[in-house]
Amino acid sequence: MEKVTVGHDALGEFAPKFAELNDDVLCGQIWSREDKLSPRDRSLITVTALMASGVLDNSLQYHISKAKEHGVTKEEMSEALTQLAFYAGWPKAWAAFRMAKEVYGG
């Protein structure tokens, strides 16, 4: 798994400890535990958590893109978001679908 530097790039000067935890612990140690849970499954879980929490910004779009990179098909993403609509909220699903449509095309 390639080294993630998004925390350092965005907040390294302002919040160095947060940037370190983001890049080294979350994106480094946790996401790299592929023997425990695949990146594909982690991506689906992350998209679910963000949408359900109402985090409908570029974080969600980034993780939808990562899900695609990790092998989640357009059909699977559509099905996951449809399922989530009933549990997380219809308006949240609309926002997530707009992002997914942009990521997957169509």
Side-chain angles (χ1 to χ4, degrees):
M1 191 162 226
E2 77 180 53
K3 170 78 170 139
V4 173
T5 62
V6 68
H8 177 71
D9 298 345
L11 295 172
E13 296 274 327
F14 184 76
K17 188 60 176 180
F18 182 86
E20 174 192 339
L21 292 169
N22 184 83
D23 296 352
D24 297 343
V25 178
L26 174 59
C27 297
Q29 295 174 23
I30 301 301
W31 274 86
S32 68
R33 294 164 36 125
E34 295 180 26
D35 61 320
K36 307 291 184 207
L37 198 61
S38 72
R40 180 188 185 284
D41 290 347
R42 288 186 194 277
S43 287
L44 281 170
I45 290 166
T46 302
V47 167
T48 299
L50 292 172
M51 185 186 138
S53 298
V55 180
L56 305 171
D57 61 9
N58 63 336
S59 299
L60 178 57
Q61 187 157 5
Y62 171 82
H63 282 286
I64 291 171
S65 294
K66 293 307 281 184
K68 181 180 178 186
E69 287 178 30
H70 292 144
V72 176
T73 67
K74 178 172 79 171
E75 293 76 17
E76 290 169 327
M77 182 59 68
S78 177
E79 190 64 23
L81 296 178
T82 299
Q83 175 85 12
L84 284 166
F86 288 91
Y87 291 93
W90 211 257
K92 292 175 187 175
W94 270 102
F97 269 118
R98 282 192 298 276
M99 291 177 196
K101 186 177 176 186
E102 187 174 314
V103 168
Y104 284 92

